[in-house]
Amino acid sequence: MPVILDDTDRKLLELLQRNNRLTADELGDHVGTSRSSVQRRMKRFRDEGVIEADISVLSAKAVGRPMTFIVEVELERERTDLLDEFRRSMLALDDVQQCYYVTGHTDFILIVTSADMAAYEEFSRQVFTDNPNIRRFHSNVVVSRVKAGLQVPL
């Protein structure tokens, strides 16, 4: 069930999605409310799960992982225990930035970063080729990132 947000909540969340380092005073100035009101709202956002995390977004290229792959994975069998096992394995892999269980012709879509093609080839061999529950996987190499973000329209 969605959380009920008023106009001030929406304005705060828009600002925070762009820059979560703004102080409560700065946020209050932008939305026309007090620091204490902003702090109460921020606490509520976190308590109610509206704000899932406060993170820093790194440049993969700057830290030596310039290659991104979009990988479609089709499982051999979709038993609950095997789905859960695959999910757990994806959660444990730092190379996997995002993992989605989807409908359609494939079971999972992954976003994977790598230092180079050789590193990705080794990753795909260990994770996909050697896994008996993976029927097939298809890798797309990202040539250029047009847009990437986690901002949710309000």
Side-chain angles (χ1 to χ4, degrees), residues 99-116:
C99 175
Y100 301 95
Y101 180 46
V102 298
T103 62
H105 69 278
T106 193
D107 298 312
F108 289 89
I109 302 282
L110 311 176
I111 307 298
V112 178
T113 63
S114 183
D116 55 35

Side-chain angles (χ1 to χ4, degrees), residues 1-109:
M1 186 169 200
V3 175
I4 296 171
L5 302 171
D6 64 22
D7 288 342
T8 302
D9 291 337
R10 290 180 197 294
K11 289 176 188 173
L12 282 171
L13 291 168
E14 288 281 351
L15 290 165
L16 289 167
Q17 286 188 100
R18 283 194 280 280
N19 181 359
N20 75 345
R21 294 187 64 182
L22 293 171
T23 67
D25 286 326
E26 292 169 322
L27 289 165
D29 289 344
H30 284 294
V31 300
T33 192
S34 69
R35 174 179 12 141
S36 59
S37 173
V38 168
Q39 290 169 330
R40 280 192 304 276
R41 289 169 190 264
M42 299 280 293
K43 182 179 179 339
R44 181 175 62 91
F45 296 154
R46 288 182 177 94
D47 290 348
E48 294 179 357
V50 175
I51 295 177
E52 291 182 357
D54 292 294
I55 62 169
S56 294
V57 179
L58 305 182
S59 163
K61 183 177 180 181
V63 296
R65 301 185 69 81
M67 298 200 71
T68 301
F69 302 84
I70 300 170
V71 185
E72 301 173 26
V73 178
E74 184 180 344
L75 300 181
E76 193 66 46
R77 295 170 304 282
E78 287 192 66
R79 289 190 343 235
T80 303
D81 61 326
L82 296 173
L83 286 170
D84 290 344
E85 179 184 324
F86 184 81
R87 285 182 182 111
R88 277 191 303 277
S89 71
M90 293 301 103
L91 288 168
L93 294 169
D94 291 338
D95 292 357
V96 177
Q97 289 191 313
Q98 298 174 48
C99 175
Y100 301 95
Y101 180 46
V102 298
T103 62
H105 69 278
T106 193
D107 298 312
F108 289 89
I109 302 282

